[in-house]
Amino acid sequence: MPSEFFNTSEVLEAILETIDEGIHVIDPKGQTIFYNGVAANHDGMKRSEVLGKPLLEAFPSLNHKSSTLLRVIKSEKPIYNYSQSYVNAHGRIIETLNTTLPIYVDGFMIGAIEIAKDYSSLKQLSERLADLESSLKTIKSPERKTTGNGGLYSFTEILTSDKGFKGLISQGKKAARSTSSVLVYGESGVGKELFVQSIHQESSRSKEPFIAQNCAALPESLLESLLFGTAKGSYTGAVERQGLFELANGGTLFLDELQSMPIDLQAKLLRVLEDGFIRRIGGTKSVQVNVRIMAAMNIDPKKAVSENRLRSDLFYRLNVLSYELPPLRERIDDIKLLSEHFISIFNSKLGLSIKGMDEKIKDFFRKYHWPGNVRELKHTIEFMMNHTENDVLNLEDLPQFLKKRNPSEKILPLREAMIEMETKLITEALLQTNGNVFQASKLLQIPRQTLQYKIKKHI
């Protein structure tokens, strides 16, 4: 259809309807002038109940102070990544993470737009997980060595023939005798959580909980309430709930990707490390906890400090016992050792009898850079064993993106490297979600339509 037949406002509306985020627009009087289907789904409302209506009529639990849209209309200043909790007209509690911006035309503010992410279900899931952790902590069973932390790794399960890594394991065993905080850093996939689990298992806290939380997985407000717990009435629908610090009492709390924790929350973590007291969100009573903090980062801590992603005082507090785990490419002999180990594991899981690898694939593995480290090696072996028609793995069994690689080539043109990494991440996400495109898109944090386009283009 010729472009002259398109109406600009219709095209804009179609674009806003396509976006995989809730979009809500009000005019200066607080009346809704646009409200897309995603926003309606988030809010549990019909569009007809909101469009053309005053905002406070559609959402009577809000007021001029609690509504981010009305606050922006009044202040004419944007609000970024703000968590909002409210009750819709049907009595349902809604929780969103909003970015709200004033809209200007020719220098005049004509309204405000809100882009909202729904994390009600995510919050419910995190709270259920916290409740599960709490219930597991009370389990008493003679068959379990620990309460709520069965299945953890120990140092005996860390396979290496590398002298330097063996030295780190020896240091980790000594760290297990201490109560000091631990900081482990290294590239993604090198086994940081395996290392800290082993320290916990070797320590006097081994019979107490080991609780892990990825700091990059949740918005700031949700991460804070999950860590510290909530007091009844601290926000709409809040109940008395223990946080991970209380649940880990007597044991270990492992904070992964620490550099992703917001700076303000890092200050609260530092206070807990200093005095051992926490206070639930909205509460007035401080509770003493006996928790050993272990943290991991996938970048150099000094770089994180220089980039203002990690507080310097928190770094120095954690740096008493710190360990840098080497990447797989620096442990060449471990590649063969680990490959044989993974072949044995997947032979058992998949009911196969693969005998090993031919010389060409061994040579490829030794020369390949392994940017994803041990995790990438494991997933590569798993892929190959799911696709091979032989009893010995060979080059033909490699994933498609690896077949195109010269294993010795470490530097690629940026565009080619980005496409390759994108293809690798998409393939890994699809493997982890058993081919479920919707779940893979959530894992990659991109819209489903974008993922479908990229699958069609690259895979």
Side-chain angles (χ1 to χ4, degrees):
M1 184 181 292
S3 59
E4 59 265 23
F5 288 97
F6 286 112
N7 180 287
T8 303
S9 62
E10 290 177 350
V11 172
L12 179 59
E13 184 170 339
I15 292 171
L16 293 176
E17 282 294 343
T18 304
I19 293 174
D20 193 22
E21 306 284 1
I23 308 292
H24 192 164
V25 184
I26 63 171
D27 64 18
K29 295 181 179 180
Q31 185 165 302
T32 297
I33 56 176
F34 183 83
Y35 188 67
N36 73 352
V38 176
N41 185 55
H42 285 181
D43 295 337
M45 302 283 284
K46 296 178 181 177
R47 296 176 73 182
S48 58
E49 295 176 308
V50 180
L51 269 173
K53 307 286 178 63
L55 183 71
L56 298 184
E57 180 182 315
F59 301 97
S61 71
L62 292 173
N63 56 46
H64 284 84
K65 288 185 177 180
S66 60
S67 166
T68 42
L69 277 166
L70 294 177
R71 282 166 56 190
V72 167
I73 288 290
K74 183 177 180 180
S75 68
E76 299 190 21
K77 295 179 180 178
I79 298 173
Y80 296 99
N81 296 320
Y82 184 85
S83 59
Q84 188 171 41
S85 177
Y86 52 94
V87 179
N88 70 7
H90 305 292
R92 175 180 156 194
I93 297 173
I94 308 299
E95 290 169 290
T96 55
L97 187 69
N98 306 334
T99 290
T100 314
L101 310 166
I103 304 172
Y104 291 97
V105 173
D106 296 330
F108 294 95
M109 188 184 72
I110 62 165
I113 181 171
E114 187 158 270
I115 302 96
K117 295 178 183 288
D118 174 27
Y119 73 87
S120 300
S121 56
L122 180 60
K123 183 162 188 174
Q124 290 168 9
L125 176 59
S126 70
E127 290 176 346
R128 285 174 189 166
L129 287 171
D131 290 340
L132 179 61
E133 293 275 11
S134 182
S135 64
L136 284 173
K137 191 176 177 183
T138 64
I139 291 175
K140 303 292 183 182
S141 168
E143 297 178 1
R144 293 177 68 93
K145 180 181 177 183
T146 59
T147 54
N149 67 344
L152 298 184
Y153 289 98
S154 65
F155 283 117
T156 58
E157 296 170 90
I158 300 180
L159 303 180
T160 183
S161 58
D162 182 77
K163 184 178 179 180
F165 205 3
K166 284 182 177 179
L168 283 172
I169 291 172
S170 178
Q171 292 176 31
K173 289 179 178 180
K174 292 177 183 177
R177 305 173 199 159
S178 170
T179 58
S180 299
S181 302
V182 172
L183 177 62
V184 179
Y185 60 99
E187 296 177 5
S188 294
V190 295
K192 296 185 291 294
E193 182 165 358
L194 187 155
F195 193 81
V196 298
Q197 283 185 12
S198 299
I199 294 176
H200 172 84
Q201 288 290 70
E202 191 93 358
S203 75
S204 60
R205 296 172 181 258
S206 62
K207 294 182 180 180
E208 300 300 329
F210 176 94
I211 295 178
Q213 176 60 47
N214 188 306
C215 299
L218 299 172
E220 177 178 0
S221 59
L222 183 50
L223 178 60
E224 183 177 9
S225 63
L226 186 62
L227 289 174
F228 292 94
T230 56
K232 188 175 182 179
S234 57
Y235 59 84
T236 306
V239 297
E240 288 288 341
R241 187 182 301 277
Q242 289 183 314
L244 298 186
F245 277 105
E246 290 179 78
L247 293 174
N249 195 29
T252 300
L253 178 59
F254 172 53
L255 300 174
D256 198 8
E257 297 194 55
L258 181 66
Q259 77 279 359
S260 297
M261 178 181 284
I263 292 293
D264 290 345
L265 196 50
Q266 289 183 28
K268 293 187 177 182
L269 172 61
L270 181 61
R271 283 200 296 273
V272 178
L273 287 169
E274 295 290 352
D275 61 27
F277 284 88
I278 63 103
R279 183 182 296 173
R280 293 182 184 178
I281 306 302
T284 56
K285 185 175 72 171
S286 293
V287 179
Q288 188 169 20
V289 290
N290 173 20
V291 177
R292 187 178 192 183
I293 300 296
M294 298 193 195
M297 301 174 60
N298 54 23
I299 64 171
D300 189 306
K302 292 180 180 178
K303 180 181 180 184
V305 170
S306 68
E307 294 176 352
N308 295 318
R309 299 169 67 184
L310 179 68
R311 290 177 62 105
S312 58
D313 48 5
L314 179 58
F315 166 62
Y316 294 124
R317 181 65 178 76
L318 290 171
N319 200 41
V320 179
L321 295 175
S322 64
Y323 306 95
E324 181 180 10
L325 302 191
L328 183 58
R329 62 183 171 275
E330 293 179 7
R331 300 186 277 134
I332 299 298
D333 290 338
D334 283 354
I335 295 173
K336 180 176 180 294
L337 177 67
L338 290 167
S339 296
E340 291 171 349
H341 173 66
F342 293 140
I343 288 172
S344 176
I345 287 176
F346 292 117
N347 269 336
S348 177
K349 281 187 176 182
L350 303 174
L352 300 173
S353 54
I354 303 299
K355 296 176 181 177
M357 305 179 293
D358 69 16
E359 290 304 317
K360 288 185 178 179
I361 198 69
K362 288 178 183 177
D363 185 58
F364 181 97
F365 276 14
R366 287 181 64 85
K367 292 178 179 177
Y368 180 54
H369 198 51
W370 297 110
N373 293 291
V374 180
R375 184 186 292 121
E376 183 183 7
L377 175 62
K378 181 180 180 180
H379 290 167
T380 299
I381 295 289
E382 182 178 8
F383 177 92
M384 294 172 74
M385 291 183 67
N386 271 286
H387 289 83
T388 188
E389 299 291 337
N390 308 297
D391 59 1
V392 175
L393 300 180
N394 59 57
L395 292 173
E396 288 303 309
D397 300 319
L398 284 169
Q400 191 62 38
F401 77 92
L402 278 180
K403 288 181 181 178
K404 300 176 181 178
R405 286 296 302 269
N406 174 352
S408 301
E409 183 182 334
K410 296 183 180 181
I411 302 297
L412 291 176
L414 182 59
R415 181 177 178 81
E416 185 180 339
M418 289 175 68
I419 292 173
E420 180 176 308
M421 180 55 70
E422 186 175 79
T423 303
K424 175 182 174 296
L425 290 172
I426 290 171
T427 302
E428 186 171 318
L430 290 170
L431 281 171
Q432 288 187 27
T433 59
N434 295 317
N436 187 308
V437 175
F438 178 73
Q439 293 298 330
S441 69
K442 293 295 183 184
L443 194 62
L444 295 165
Q445 298 184 18
I446 60 175
R448 186 185 69 254
Q449 299 95 325
T450 302
L451 178 57
Q452 287 173 327
Y453 168 77
K454 291 179 181 295
I455 290 171
K456 200 171 185 180
K457 183 177 179 183
H458 299 313
I459 298 177

